[in-house]
Amino acid sequence: MKSELTEAGFEDLTTPTSVDNAISKPGTTLLVVNSVCGCSAGAARPGILMSLDNGKVPQHLTTVFAGFDVEATSQARRYTLPYPPSSPSIALFKDGKLVHFIERHHIEGHSAKMVAENLQAAYNEFC
């Protein structure tokens, strides 16, 4: 489940410091809070990967794994406030500022294509 994103080029953030470093990079950063749930496998991860087939994409691709990398996930969630903790969830940052966020309830029950289209619209606006 981790490798599905890391094999596609996502940086696996496993410490709070690695999260801070990733979010603070200039440009656009996609941060995926990955999880073992069915909506991660059915819509989130496939949708995220489909979303990268777009003219504009984030400069930096990153992920934390909820339930495993507990401290890194907790740090990542500080950057997505005021949204409540949610996994899976997908955050797009521009120059360290949160500009787009997809919560679990926007993934669960939706198709991978819908997740991809949501992300592509955000990439087209912010990347």
Side-chain angles (χ1 to χ4, degrees), residues 32-103:
V32 177
V33 179
N34 199 352
S35 73
V36 297
C37 75
C39 60
S40 283
R45 288 190 301 268
I48 291 160
L49 296 176
M50 276 193 266
S51 77
L52 299 175
D53 185 18
N54 193 52
K56 294 181 178 183
V57 295
Q59 294 166 285
H60 313 287
L61 304 173
T62 63
T63 183
V64 295
F65 205 98
F68 292 94
D69 302 317
V70 176
E71 292 177 359
T73 301
S74 177
Q75 186 67 5
R77 287 177 170 155
R78 288 185 178 100
Y79 287 99
T80 62
L81 291 172
Y83 296 98
S86 170
S87 60
S89 61
I90 310 160
L92 181 64
F93 296 89
K94 185 168 186 172
D95 297 325
K97 294 181 182 177
L98 182 65
V99 294
H100 189 73
F101 190 67
I102 301 175
E103 297 175 84

Side-chain angles (χ1 to χ4, degrees), residues 107-127:
I107 298 168
E108 200 169 32
H110 293 86
S111 70
K113 185 175 189 267
M114 291 174 75
V115 172
E117 290 170 349
N118 182 316
L119 288 170
Q120 288 171 335
Y123 302 162
N124 291 337
E125 182 175 350
F126 297 107
C127 295

Side-chain angles (χ1 to χ4, degrees), residues 2 6 9-15 18 61-65 69:
K2 260 189 170 196
T6 57
F10 282 73
E11 180 184 359
D12 189 17
L13 307 176
T14 59
T15 67
S18 66
L61 304 173
T62 63
T63 183
V64 295
F65 205 98
D69 302 317

